[in-house]
Amino acid sequence: MKYQIWYMKPSFIRGIVGSSPDPSHLSATHVHLKDIEADNQEDALSRMRAENWSPNGEALDLLQSKGLQHTTMTIGDVLVDESDAVYLVTGIGFSLLPKHEEPHH
């Protein structure tokens, strides 16, 4: 399965307590880092550990170019799967973020 990897902007990290990103406006709080292939969410998280995808600092230029400060996927970062489901990385796994439908007029 393909996953979009979205990392928190440093400004969002400071305000994370008690707040979740808006899955309809991820770019307000997160930066799309890259797309990867993974078997499932846990596999995607494992593949995004620094020692797996940037063991010798290969990702530093990419991270800096996007204004990011962390290499390993961590709590508060987001996975988006092929069906556009948005999953927040939490301390105990993943939390599916509900999308807010636009009101119909």
Side-chain angles (χ1 to χ4, degrees), residues 20-78:
S20 289
D22 180 346
S24 303
H25 300 98
L26 270 183
S27 60
T29 53
H30 288 67
V31 175
H32 177 244
L33 181 60
K34 61 189 275 181
D35 294 345
I36 66 166
E37 293 270 348
D39 296 334
N40 52 43
Q41 295 155 350
E42 291 291 340
D43 183 43
L45 187 63
S46 174
R47 288 170 187 257
M48 291 309 296
R49 286 195 186 108
E51 63 268 22
N52 292 338
W53 80 283
S54 182
N56 301 303
E58 299 90 336
L60 293 179
D61 287 343
L62 174 64
L63 292 163
Q64 288 177 341
S65 75
K66 293 182 177 274
L68 297 169
Q69 297 175 343
H70 63 291
T71 306
T72 294
M73 188 169 216
T74 189
I75 294 169
D77 291 334
V78 170

Side-chain angles (χ1 to χ4, degrees), residues 77-98:
D77 291 334
V78 170
L79 288 172
V80 181
D81 72 14
E82 292 172 355
S83 68
D84 279 336
V86 179
Y87 295 92
L88 180 67
V89 179
T90 69
I92 55 170
F94 299 89
S95 173
L96 177 62
L97 296 177

Side-chain angles (χ1 to χ4, degrees), residues 3-32:
Y3 288 96
Q4 295 175 29
I5 305 298
W6 291 74
Y7 274 16
M8 287 178 292
K9 293 179 179 178
S11 57
F12 184 66
I13 293 172
R14 289 190 291 276
I16 193 167
V17 179
S19 62
S20 289
D22 180 346
S24 303
H25 300 98
L26 270 183
S27 60
T29 53
H30 288 67
V31 175
H32 177 244

